[in-house]
Amino acid sequence: MSPEEWTYLVVLLISIPIGFVFKKAGPGLKRWGAAAVGLGLTLFTCGPHTLHSLITILGTWALIQAQPCSCHALALAWTFSYLLFFRALSLLGLPTPTPFTNAVQLLLTLKLVSLASEVQDLHLAQRKEMASGFSKGPSLGLLPDVPSLMETLSYSYCYVGIMTGPFFRYRTYLDWLEQPFPGAVPSLRPLLRRAWPAPLFGLLFLLSSHLFPLEAVREDAFYARPLPARLFYMVPVFFAFRMRFYVAWIAAECGCIAAGFGAYPVAAKARAGGGPTLQCPPPSSPEKAASLEYDYETIRNIDCYGTDFCVRVRDGMRYWNMTVQWWLAQYIYKSAPARSYVLRSAWTMLLSAYWHGLHPGYYLSFLTIPLCLAAEGQLESALRGRLSAGGQKAWDWVHWFLKMRAYDYMCMGFVLLSLRDTLRYWASIYFCIHVLAVAGLGLGLALGGGSPSRRKMAPQAASLAPEKLREE
């Protein structure tokens, strides 16, 4: 583990006891205490580069105040433009920010764009009320008022997920501050239930990264190995990559659970990133609050089982970095300048790559996903429905195997980063996933694969095991 990884781990671990301290605190202490801790962590890890986050916050707040009706698009343009400046600092002869500054900036970009969207929704709802002449009462997920500058700063610097996620909306943050009877919300048992696999994942990460170091792929000697060895190597590299993020995101979720952050009644049917989808009245007494069943789906960032054992490439995306996937679907995919599912996905993946950084490996990897989505959709539509039940089961196993190899392949671009290293490795295994995807797309088209809307009507396999086993 690098020094940066040790720092991330320490930040994640100390957020757990801090969460228990803040859980039962009042709204004021939660707001300003959590912001003070987050700002302190930012100053400690980023130093003077903290100025970048402050400039981004002030610019977004100014746009919200000036143009509340269209602040979402303006905030998206502002924060993404600042990301370009932020990453070009070394080219401009300015001090290069620390990796921690980059992490803070990434999460802050998501939060500020979401905040602007929530303010815009509030403003539009208020205009509709004025036009109709009557008030409808509180709407699900709507803010009570526009946050002030200090409230925006407290949300932006809240220590929860400040470097690693999960992403959360301002509405989720506000619900945590105003949580009725927080002592009745369970924390310890859900935390232990969530945390138990993390040590195992950590050991598997250390073992796999030691036995199969990524640096070996950058050495000339690696390409003297036989083709099967080169082809196999991407499997443990992606395995180590997954284990590393499983540990980080589980620890980040545990920090939220300790604070009761993102806890909602099960009846609210909360979604990762988005929060409740059904209105639930707040409990009127501690006894009623204690009688409710809660979950932490709002801040759930990883479904380890779903990531490893879902069948389709499309579903693999949904189970990985789930709160960010919700953000991408809500603010990028829905407003994409195309109607086709594949083209919308390509647009979303392009902006996702840009959000991650400017390294060519990000773009090579993310822009391979739409090709895989197109191939998988056409083949499913053309062939799977024609098979017997046994044939469909065999198809799903083959599909799962190819899905995992596709993610192995794309992971290499994500971790190698440079154009030369990524293309050198892919060329050494003859661009096998690109070739298979193009061949599959051509075969599906030749056999008359349907449109995305038609494919949605066909039953699909979500995973290779019963849902009950998945939940366990």
Side-chain angles (χ1 to χ4, degrees), residues 422-436:
T422 303
L423 293 181
R424 187 185 188 191
Y425 177 76
W426 282 356
S428 77
I429 56 173
Y430 302 101
F431 296 95
C432 57
I433 295 300
H434 283 103
V435 171
L436 280 173

Side-chain angles (χ1 to χ4, degrees), residues 333-345 347 452-453 456:
Y333 179 85
K334 287 185 178 181
S335 59
R339 298 186 64 183
S340 160
Y341 168 71
V342 172
L343 292 179
R344 280 186 167 197
S345 298
W347 172 253
S453 57
K456 287 179 183 178

Side-chain angles (χ1 to χ4, degrees), residues 320-353:
W320 178 267
N321 206 359
M322 294 163 69
T323 59
V324 175
Q325 294 298 332
W326 180 89
W327 187 96
L328 288 168
Q330 188 74 15
Y331 302 121
I332 304 298
Y333 179 85
K334 287 185 178 181
S335 59
R339 298 186 64 183
S340 160
Y341 168 71
V342 172
L343 292 179
R344 280 186 167 197
S345 298
W347 172 253
T348 305
M349 291 301 101
L350 176 64
L351 290 191
S352 179

Side-chain angles (χ1 to χ4, degrees), residues 8 35 47 65 71 86 102 138 152 158 188-189 202 244 251 264 318 323 338-339 377 393 398 429 437 463 469:
Y8 280 123
Q65 298 300 312
C71 57
F86 175 78
N102 182 62
T152 302
C158 178
L188 183 59
R189 189 169 294 178
R244 175 172 172 257
Y264 290 99
R318 292 174 178 171
T323 59
R339 298 186 64 183
K393 191 170 184 179
V398 173
I429 56 173
S463 69
L469 176 61

